[in-house]
């Protein structure tokens, strides 16, 4: 159980550090990579909800919710950005 919490806290710290270090000019091109990584996180969270105990289930559920929000938001932002470049 302590391993799951340690990995969760490290993932939060590393994710925060990586996101804050990306310059704004590179943020939009990296959106597709972020969506792909969140898709992988959703699959891993689904597996952890089934494999872990009660704490693993709750952390997996929280990870599924946040990763889904990221995927949906990324698709909406990308769609809006692509509409800006279409000819009228």
């Amino acid at each position: 159980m302590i391993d799951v919490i340690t990995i969760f806290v490290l993932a939060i710290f590393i994710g925060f550090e990586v996101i804050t270090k990306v310059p704004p000019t590179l943020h939009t091109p990296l959106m597709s990579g972020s969506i792909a990584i969140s898709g992988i996180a959703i699959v891993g969270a689904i597996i952890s909800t089934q494999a872990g105990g009660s704490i693993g289930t709750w952390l997996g559920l929280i990870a599924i919710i946040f990763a889904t929000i990221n995927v949906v938001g990324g698709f909406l932002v990308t769609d809006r950005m692509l509409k800006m470049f279409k000819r009228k």
Side-chain angles (χ1 to χ4, degrees), residues 23-85:
T25 55
L26 292 178
H27 192 270
T28 303
L30 292 176
M31 183 67 73
S32 61
S34 173
I35 294 170
I37 291 170
S38 291
I40 295 169
I42 290 173
V43 173
I46 290 171
I47 292 170
S48 73
T49 58
Q50 296 173 355
S54 64
I55 189 77
T57 302
W58 286 108
L59 289 177
L61 179 64
I62 292 169
I64 290 170
I65 291 169
F66 284 132
T68 303
I69 290 170
N70 192 23
V71 168
V72 171
F75 278 124
L76 292 175
V77 168
T78 304
D79 186 52
R80 185 173 178 181
M81 183 182 65
L82 290 175
K83 285 181 181 176
M84 291 171 48
F85 292 105

